[in-house]
Amino acid sequence: MSIIKHPKAHHYQPSPAEEARARGREAGYRGGYEEGYLKGRADYIVKSHAESFPFRQLHVLYVASGKGFPYSPMDEAISETLRSMVAQLTVIEPGQPINEVAYQVMPDLVLVLDGMFVPNEQLDDIRRQGIKTAVWLTDDPYYTDMTTENVGHYDYVFTLESNCIPYYQQLGCRQVHHLPFAAFPEYFKPSKTPAAQRRDVSFIGSAYWNRVEYLSPIMDRLMQHNTMINGIWWDRLPNYAAYQDRIEVNKWMGPVETAEAYNGSKIVINLHRSHEDDSVNNNTVKIPAASPNPRTFEISACATLQLTDARSDLAKLYTPGKEIETYTSPQELLDKIEYYLSHEQERREIALNALDRTLREHTYGHRLNQLLSVIFP
């Protein structure tokens, strides 16, 4: 009996190109799953936070900032939120005779945003008619040289900067309250669809000199990741030419476009401006900044991991390490970027916790309800 010998089977060895394609498919599948999981969880959190605030039988005359972009989205957020909270809302620009409009409509409250362009004598006239007046200051402490002249002409002063409270009290203001910024969920919210442009890291904001000096030492390594920067003045960077294909300069991004960038990013850097930069500030008394900027809330409302420089008020608003991440040096910023880019589950959980905290406590509905509760207890 003869034995038939079969030729030895050869184990197939894929080519390097085939291996690369396989790794790409696996990474794409994993990335798609992770993004889908994040969006599903985020959608559940959004649906579980239906805002409901007391409705007040009040007539509010709202005086917009009059500053145009980027203040106009804030004006819209405030006016649209107020419409659902009070019986009547009248909105005007600072160029109109505010005292004459107030005589005609006789509101319960004249609420002014920023107030830089509002004549103080008109405010005094309104107060003589027994109408309550309030201002929400948006640029403290960077323009206190100008707000110093205005705050005494209001019944109520609300400032986003807690360090300005004792300063205004020393000026004779009896009703001064801390009212931080917030998120407007109509603009800043998790996207339900995959982002058109994916980024590992984003930074959106103006290139103030403190930001240029802070990021310059780590820019080479930062740009080794899929990093995009948007904002004015970034051609100030010493090696700008090396990164200009990933820096969009001299463009103000609207809230919808900004939210799209946040949603398309794994990590968004937040780096506050300096209170000591005399090239852009009017803060002669050098009041330091303790309170976070509006991006703190807007990034969090998009369910994106935020890395921010730590300001002293931050821990009152978000829990570091659980709902937001902080850094105290350029090297720590870089280290945490690289850590969270390789630890997807931790990155995702912090981002979702940030969304939940924002919708629970940090929307314009929460802020305006607080403001109205102070004035009409």
Side-chain angles (χ1 to χ4, degrees), residues 124 138 158 195 198 216 218 285 326:
D124 296 339
T138 59
F158 295 88
R198 295 294 301 167
S216 290
I218 62 170
V285 291
T326 61

Side-chain angles (χ1 to χ4, degrees), residues 345-364:
Q345 185 173 350
E346 293 177 49
R347 180 187 72 82
R348 184 177 62 219
E349 290 306 312
I350 294 174
L352 291 168
N353 289 339
L355 170 65
D356 184 62
R357 181 74 179 270
T358 302
L359 295 180
R360 272 191 290 118
E361 299 180 13
H362 303 313
T363 68
Y364 277 96

Side-chain angles (χ1 to χ4, degrees), residues 4 100-102 139 145 185 253 291 296 302 305 317 340 342 346 354:
I4 300 175
E100 293 181 16
V101 175
D139 284 313
D145 296 353
M253 292 175 66
S291 300
T296 306
C302 292
L305 175 65
L317 303 164
Y340 283 108
S342 60
E346 293 177 49

Side-chain angles (χ1 to χ4, degrees), residues 81-101:
T81 304
L82 277 173
R83 286 187 202 283
S84 64
M85 299 176 70
V86 297
Q88 187 175 352
L89 178 70
T90 302
V91 180
I92 63 173
E93 294 289 328
Q96 298 176 250
I98 300 167
N99 52 343
E100 293 181 16
V101 175

Side-chain angles (χ1 to χ4, degrees), residues 262-268 299-306 347 351 354:
Y262 291 161
N263 272 284
S265 304
K266 292 184 176 181
I267 296 171
V268 177
I299 297 166
S300 297
C302 292
T304 301
L305 175 65
Q306 178 176 177
R347 180 187 72 82

